[in-house]
Amino acid sequence: MNRRNFIQIGIASAGAVSAISGKEAMATAKLGNTHHADATLIEATVADLQAAMSAGKLTAKALTAQYLARIKAIDKSGPRINAIIELNPDAPAIAAALDKERKTKGARGPLHGIPVLLKDNIATFDKMQTTAGSWALVGSQPSRDAFIVTQLREAGAVILGKTNLSEWANIRSSRSTSGWSGRGGLTKNPYALDRNTSGSSSGSGAAIAASLAAVAVGTETDGSIVSPANVNGLVGFKPTLGLVSRNGIIPIAHSQDTAGPMTRTVADAAVLLSVLAGSDARDAATQEANARKVDYTQFLKVDGLKGARIGVVRPNITNANDLVASVIEEALKVLTAQGAVLIDPVELPNAGKYGRTEFEVLQYELKADMAAYLAEFVPQSKIKTLQDIIDFNDANRTREMPYFNQETFLLAVKKGGLDSQEYIDALATNLRLSRAEGIDQIMKQHRLDALVAPSGGPAWLTDFIKGDNSGGGFSSAAAVAGYPHISVPAGAVYGLPVGISFVGAAWSEPTLIKLAYSYEQASRQRRAPTFVKTVNPQI
């Protein structure tokens, strides 16, 4: 990812300088006189980049080249965070064509010439592969772009590459290590290289935190956008189910899957969501999307918290790590200072009561949805069913299962069809407990605009033997309900980022953007990573 106009900036702290080569530091430069005079490649926003291109101080081709140089210096050498699984060889040519178009016709919109990264479960019909991090799909060319990729291309975005992920979006095993895939290896957290990136949008999180591109697209079933955003100091936005098409995205479960923005600012998330949202005839869930979508940048209101009624999900703070709880208490003070009315405490009804039925639904839908994706997007592949993936993993155990197995796949493949009564009942239970008797109930009871809680704990030490140790999160209620959820940087614990989550009712993206932006502008908690090897608190 990239931006600037030829003045050295180095890495944002002395701790990072030792990890980055002098050549890389010289390749990073200031953007010039944009609306933030000190904007640099490291933390430049989409607006910064557009201002520089509009002023003739930067081109998309130069920007793309600069991001590629930064990827080479930081992702493939230096700290080697390993966020990028594949680069688009046509990106420079695409950027050059967009520069020519800008000169002759003007910019298409705010993403014109902006390099974007995609999670490697989002299909692209180009020279890149789409594999979900698995060797099983290597060599299988998708038959067309995913719908959201078409949206991005039409908006003038430069598809820079694909990001690594927790293989198969972390559904293969309950004992997995997030951020690892057979094809991509391990993605490291840029805030401490021995810490985990969370998942499953691991590479998207690490890459944008490290400024390897302007913005990225992640996907979520339950926590896969907001959790890596939390531990990588980002804004992660999981939209309402049906606002963004899933067609062309390697699935887990259609009742919960969605794509969404992963960015360094709320403003960039609003720009990206405005492009991603839209109805798609191939995704029935998006039937209302065109009627619901708007230009989300109109809701970037500094005073967006004034008068807002926000429910504080106090049990999630009480049960959090003490250091995380302290960060969130400071965030609540910011909300109050900006005019929000805090309803504290509130308790989310039925939280935690649908864990078993959620897992049942995911297994049923994984089996059916995976077969449908393979048939539609890679019909030439020998891999046609979940059983074929299982067989491939067994035959390639050394490179596919060196650390953990595939017990969730084995459970899912034994399930029946989507007409099974067990599945129908489980899905109905999930929706009832998470919607009408969950988020809807508490928001109606207290006349709330949103719920807030810690997004999760700080990044844990990566451990291939024991697997993940992620601690409590706040993703499941919104994930199961299909409701929007945005995580925003709230502070840090010994340099490890911690986020605060805003969750709302269905289609409440405008409200959440107002609240999140107002909080972000008042708190200013986003910090660039320093690529330290480890965190060593002084006692």
Side-chain angles (χ1 to χ4, degrees):
M1 308 106 184
N2 139 325
R3 54 244 134 173
R4 80 203 101 118
N5 246 28
F6 311 128
I7 291 181
Q8 174 180 355
I9 75 154
I11 284 297
S13 78
V17 171
S18 61
I20 307 302
S21 70
K23 183 181 293 185
E24 152 58 12
M26 293 183 68
T28 310
K30 289 187 178 178
L31 280 170
N33 296 319
T34 65
H35 69 283
H36 291 306
D38 61 346
T40 66
L41 174 67
I42 298 293
E43 292 286 298
T45 66
V46 169
D48 291 331
L49 300 175
Q50 283 297 345
M53 287 191 280
S54 296
K57 297 177 179 179
L58 182 68
T59 64
K61 184 178 180 180
L63 183 61
T64 299
Q66 291 160 6
Y67 276 127
L68 292 173
R70 185 165 172 80
I71 289 168
K72 183 177 180 181
I74 293 175
D75 198 60
K76 305 308 178 190
S77 58
R80 294 183 182 274
I81 62 173
N82 195 38
I84 312 298
I85 200 168
E86 187 169 3
L87 290 168
N88 183 1
D90 293 329
I94 292 169
L98 289 165
D99 286 332
K100 184 178 293 186
E101 181 180 323
R102 182 188 291 270
K103 287 183 178 180
T104 58
K105 298 180 181 179
R108 302 183 191 183
L111 283 188
H112 190 107
I114 300 294
V116 176
L117 286 168
L118 306 176
K119 188 176 179 180
D120 183 39
N121 61 348
I122 300 172
T124 57
F125 184 61
D126 51 23
K127 294 175 184 175
M128 292 187 292
Q129 303 188 75
T130 304
T131 68
S134 172
W135 290 104
L137 292 185
V138 169
S140 300
Q141 171 67 55
S143 55
R144 65 173 183 275
D145 282 340
F147 182 81
I148 60 171
V149 176
T150 300
Q151 302 270 85
L152 287 165
R153 295 196 202 275
E154 290 177 352
V158 178
I159 308 301
L160 188 64
K162 299 286 186 73
T163 56
N164 195 25
L165 69 163
S166 308
E167 187 176 298
W168 295 112
N170 232 357
I171 192 62
R172 200 185 84 189
S173 171
S174 60
R175 297 186 287 273
S176 64
T177 296
S178 289
W180 181 89
S181 71
R183 179 185 173 213
L186 177 69
T187 296
K188 292 181 271 187
N189 191 309
Y191 290 88
L193 300 177
D194 60 351
R195 296 269 166 171
N196 202 268
T197 53
S198 189
S200 63
S201 303
S202 314
S204 295
I208 299 308
S211 292
L212 302 185
V215 296
V217 181
T219 68
E220 175 163 330
T221 305
D222 187 340
S224 285
I225 288 174
V226 295
S227 184
N230 171 60
V231 302
N232 287 283
L234 297 179
V235 173
F237 203 161
K238 184 201 84 72
T240 301
L241 186 78
L243 183 62
V244 176
S245 172
R246 290 83 50 86
N247 186 256
I249 301 175
I250 297 174
I252 290 180
H254 61 265
S255 64
Q256 292 182 207
D257 287 352
T258 185
M262 299 184 74
T263 62
R264 290 180 292 275
T265 67
V266 176
D268 283 356
V271 168
L272 184 54
L273 184 61
S274 298
V275 170
L276 296 177
S279 298
D280 174 12
R282 291 189 173 103
D283 185 351
T286 64
Q287 186 174 346
E288 290 186 58
N290 280 351
R292 297 282 187 174
K293 71 172 290 188
V294 292
D295 177 358
Y296 293 103
T297 62
Q298 67 183 290
F299 303 107
L300 298 171
K301 306 289 187 181
V302 174
D303 62 352
L305 282 163
K306 189 174 182 180
R309 293 177 60 84
I310 299 177
V312 179
V313 187
R314 180 57 60 175
N316 283 58
I317 301 175
T318 303
N319 296 330
N321 174 295
D322 287 348
L323 297 174
V324 172
S326 179
V327 170
I328 300 304
E329 293 294 352
E330 291 302 312
L332 296 180
K333 293 178 183 177
V334 174
L335 298 180
T336 301
Q338 295 305 305
V341 178
L342 299 188
I343 314 303
D344 185 4
V346 300
E347 187 167 348
L348 188 59
N350 296 311
K353 292 184 179 179
Y354 34 78
R356 182 189 64 79
T357 48
E358 178 188 12
F359 189 48
E360 286 293 331
V361 167
L362 298 191
Q363 291 174 65
Y364 273 100
E365 294 187 1
L366 171 64
K367 180 182 178 182
D369 294 355
M370 185 67 74
Y373 170 86
L374 294 170
E376 183 176 359
F377 278 86
V378 285
Q380 78 283 9
S381 174
K382 294 180 180 179
I383 305 296
K384 299 187 179 302
T385 64
L386 184 59
Q387 184 63 57
D388 290 339
I389 298 170
I390 292 169
D391 293 342
F392 179 91
N393 291 341
D394 282 333
N396 295 271
R397 180 170 290 272
T398 301
R399 59 179 177 170
E400 277 294 344
M401 297 194 291
Y403 306 116
F404 53 90
N405 292 319
Q406 54 181 340
E407 69 276 4
T408 304
F409 279 4
L410 293 172
L411 290 171
V413 80
K414 294 177 182 177
K415 294 297 184 182
L418 299 183
D419 57 351
S420 300
Q421 195 62 46
E422 181 184 49
Y423 165 73
I424 294 169
D425 292 345
L427 181 59
T429 296
N430 290 349
L431 297 180
R432 174 174 56 82
L433 294 179
S434 64
R435 293 181 180 178
E437 298 177 13
I439 294 174
D440 293 344
Q441 177 179 313
I442 195 67
M443 294 192 72
K444 182 177 180 181
Q445 178 183 344
H446 296 288
R447 296 178 288 114
L448 300 176
D449 294 294
L451 301 166
V452 296
S455 300
W460 58 96
L461 289 167
T462 294
D463 188 335
F464 281 112
I465 297 174
K466 295 181 180 179
D468 286 342
N469 181 27
S470 59
F474 189 55
S475 63
S476 289
V480 174
Y483 288 178
H485 178 177
I486 186 169
S487 177
V488 183
V493 173
Y494 291 106
L496 299 173
V498 172
I500 184 170
S501 283
F502 297 82
V503 166
W507 312 110
S508 64
E509 282 80 3
T511 297
L512 294 190
I513 288 171
K514 285 196 298 183
L515 303 180
Y517 182 76
S518 181
Y519 168 75
E520 174 197 55
Q521 295 303 299
S523 62
R524 299 284 184 175
Q525 289 297 323
R526 162 73 193 166
R527 299 290 184 272
T530 58
F531 307 95
V532 297
K533 290 183 178 180
T534 190
V535 171
N536 185 23
Q538 297 299 309
I539 304 300

